[in-house]
Amino acid sequence: MTDGADRFLAATRCEKSDTTPVWFMRQAGRSLPQYRALRRRFSFMELATTSDLCVEVTCLPVDILGVDAAVVFADIMLPLQGMGVAFEIREGVGPVIRKPLSSQPEVDNLRIIEAEEATPYLFPAIRAARERLGRRAALIGFGGAPFTLACYLVEGHGSRDFPRVRTLIHSEPEIWNRLMTTLTEVSARYLSAQASAGADVVQLFDSWVGVLDRATFEVHVAPHLQRLLERLRYLVPVIYFSTASAHLLDGIAAAGPQGVSIDWRLPLGEAWGVIGPHRFIQGNLDPALVLAPWPVLEAAALGVLSEAGGRPGHIFNLGHGVLPASSPEQLRRLVDLVHEKGAGKPS
Ligand code: CP3
């Protein structure tokens, strides 16, 4: 049997292996009792910023669920600390920025420092997790894409459709451009440093980019994304993640990520038609179906595999993060099903 890391990395090169690799966004938190027990003793920030605890949580799902990749336990907001942006993670709300940005001087004051200085706890955790995982599982590093980071910096908190951001882009395009240029530089350093520390792949979370229309994305976001991906091209394969963004998919592919994560709204076959066969695809089971009775979940998962059509560049995942009420037993069963019925297995 092929090891998880090799199975996963083969898919990122669109090469065949013994079966389809699988992992889940948010696999390390929320639904695992072992994680909840740790959370009773430590805050989220303590878990993420203490290297030993971060390694523990990062590796949990490989043991419990049998997934082929571990994702570093962190948050997209962490590198903002090094930029001099004060924020807190509020229980039940999410990240809240103390002083949302709106003026040129505020954007000019953002600091660009080395990633090792901004998030010193992260890189020892990546080195230790890489060592602990061996060939059992690949290690995925990640960061927020510049647009999604800018959403929090400008809006100040999560939002359904980020109206302040959409106003700023069009009324103050120079401020916007400056902000995106700074965030692109910070992201490039942050993700490169994760690759150097041992992340095999990095995922760029552009969770909220789907709020934009196509023209705004093309003019005000895509050029920055393209520059960021160019900086990473020869260092590490990148998975670009977004949701509700089918209307942007051709522009996303043109920006140049090696792999694209697709949510449940678009069938995988159709998505592949847009991004081209030389890119790998990740996805795309609806996370809500993990809460359904097993026969329903099983049928939906087999449907995803059938949409992938046995192509070698498929990484099975949900279309967004694991919902907190998901049962670990159900997730484990899903992993086993994907391995049993994935590409390359007799049907
Ligand atoms: O839910 C948990 O796993 C608990 C730990 C936690 C994380 N972030 C881990 C994380 C908590 C409490 C946060 C705070 C936070 N940060 C929130 C609110 C809480 C929540 O659970 O959603 C939000 C919305 C953020 C901002 C954020 N972080 C975004 C938009 C993303 C991109 C993914 C997405 O959901 O669209 C993240 C990434 C993130 N936060 C990861 C982890 C472990 C990514 C890695 C992974 O997929 O496991």
Side-chain angles (χ1 to χ4, degrees), residues 25-26 30 35 44 71 74-75 89 94-95 142 152 205 207 320:
M25 291 175 269
R26 295 297 179 98
R30 295 172 161 185
Y35 172 78
F44 163 66
V71 58
D75 192 82
I89 303 282
F142 75 91
Y152 285 101
F205 280 98
S207 308
H320 204 161

Side-chain angles (χ1 to χ4, degrees), residues 55-79:
V55 175
E56 282 306 316
V57 178
T58 299
C59 297
L60 269 180
V62 176
D63 297 327
I64 300 171
L65 305 176
V67 285
D68 299 302
V71 58
V72 176
F73 189 76
D75 192 82
I76 63 165
M77 304 300 284
L78 297 180

Side-chain angles (χ1 to χ4, degrees), residues 34-337:
Q34 295 84 341
Y35 172 78
R36 292 209 186 130
L38 280 169
R39 276 289 273 110
R40 281 194 281 278
R41 293 166 56 204
F42 306 101
S43 70
F44 163 66
M45 285 301 278
E46 282 171 325
L47 286 181
T49 63
T50 310
S51 302
D52 293 352
L53 293 173
C54 174
V55 175
E56 282 306 316
V57 178
T58 299
C59 297
L60 269 180
V62 176
D63 297 327
I64 300 171
L65 305 176
V67 285
D68 299 302
V71 58
V72 176
F73 189 76
D75 192 82
I76 63 165
M77 304 300 284
L78 297 180
L80 301 185
Q81 280 179 324
M83 301 176 72
V85 176
F87 69 88
E88 53 178 316
I89 303 282
R90 251 182 238 161
E91 199 74 42
V93 177
V96 178
I97 305 280
R98 224 154 282 158
K99 277 187 68 209
L101 304 181
S102 57
S103 70
Q104 185 77 49
E106 286 166 339
V107 172
D108 290 344
N109 276 338
L110 292 172
R111 286 198 311 258
I112 302 178
I113 60 174
E114 289 307 323
E116 288 80 358
E117 206 184 315
T119 49
Y121 45 83
L122 185 66
F123 305 102
I126 290 178
R127 280 189 283 273
R130 177 89 279 325
E131 175 130 356
R132 186 182 310 181
L133 292 169
R135 300 317 298 163
R136 271 193 310 152
L139 182 62
I140 304 173
F142 75 91
F147 174 78
T148 286
L149 293 174
C151 279
Y152 285 101
L153 289 178
V154 171
E155 204 79 28
H157 47 76
S159 155
R160 194 168 59 86
D161 52 10
F162 296 94
R164 283 173 60 125
V165 178
R166 284 150 53 220
T167 305
L168 180 82
I169 293 174
H170 294 283
S171 358
E172 304 279 2
E174 275 145 37
I175 297 181
W176 175 257
N177 185 51
R178 180 77 204 259
L179 175 59
M180 287 293 280
T181 303
T182 300
L183 288 169
T184 297
E185 181 60 36
V186 170
S187 297
R189 293 181 185 203
Y190 185 62
L191 294 167
S192 307
Q194 290 185 50
S196 305
D200 300 297
V201 176
V202 295
Q203 179 154 320
L204 202 49
F205 280 98
D206 216 350
S207 308
W208 316 134
V209 76
V211 305
L212 295 178
D213 62 274
R214 199 180 288 169
T216 305
F217 173 76
E218 293 295 345
V219 175
H220 298 283
V221 174
H224 301 281
L225 185 58
Q226 192 174 345
R227 261 189 300 116
L228 174 56
L229 292 169
E230 263 158 29
R231 291 272 293 271
L232 300 169
R233 177 147 306 148
Y234 300 105
L235 284 179
V236 64
V238 180
I239 309 171
Y240 178 86
F241 166 87
S242 58
T243 64
S245 55
H247 61 299
L248 306 177
L249 200 51
D250 50 351
I252 287 168
Q258 290 83 352
V260 180
S261 196
I262 299 294
D263 79 3
W264 62 94
R265 295 171 180 89
L266 193 67
L268 287 187
E270 210 174 298
W272 238 316
V274 178
I275 69 171
H278 55 294
R279 290 181 213 285
F280 67 93
I281 238 172
Q282 173 173 281
N284 71 340
L285 187 75
D286 183 343
L289 289 177
V290 178
L291 307 181
W294 172 252
V296 176
L297 172 57
E298 182 183 37
L302 293 176
V304 169
L305 288 174
S306 139
E307 265 295 326
R311 274 177 274 216
H314 177 217
I315 295 169
F316 192 100
N317 205 320
L318 307 179
H320 204 161
V322 170
L323 294 169
S326 305
S327 112
E329 291 72 36
Q330 188 98 323
L331 289 168
R332 169 88 224 189
R333 221 169 153 185
L334 178 56
V335 169
D336 291 343
L337 177 76

